Amino acid sequence: MSKIPAAEKTREFIIQKSAQIFNIKGYENASLLDIQEGTKLIKRAISVIFQT
């Protein structure tokens, strides 16, 4: 069984939470602040995860 790196787990977590927010608010009405609140992560953490 392979081990999933922490960054990949965090990325998947952000994607799942974002999808829930997009389903409720719509893609165009969802903001980074909504995602921050939904994930309890700071903006920099979200940015760093998706830069890799």
Side-chain angles (χ1 to χ4, degrees):
M1 180 160 42
S2 65
K3 202 172 184 182
I4 299 172
E8 186 60 30
K9 285 183 183 180
T10 303
R11 183 183 179 96
E12 288 301 317
F13 171 74
I14 294 168
I15 291 169
Q16 289 174 1
K17 290 294 185 177
S18 297
Q20 292 171 355
I21 293 166
F22 296 154
N23 283 334
I24 294 167
K25 295 186 119 185
Y27 179 78
E28 292 191 10
N29 293 321
S31 68
L32 182 54
L33 182 58
D34 294 326
I35 295 169
Q36 282 179 255
E37 291 172 352
T39 60
K40 306 293 188 243
L41 296 171
I42 62 172
K43 181 169 52 173
R44 180 71 179 140
I46 295 168
S47 297
V48 166
I49 291 295
F50 285 93
Q51 287 179 356
T52 58

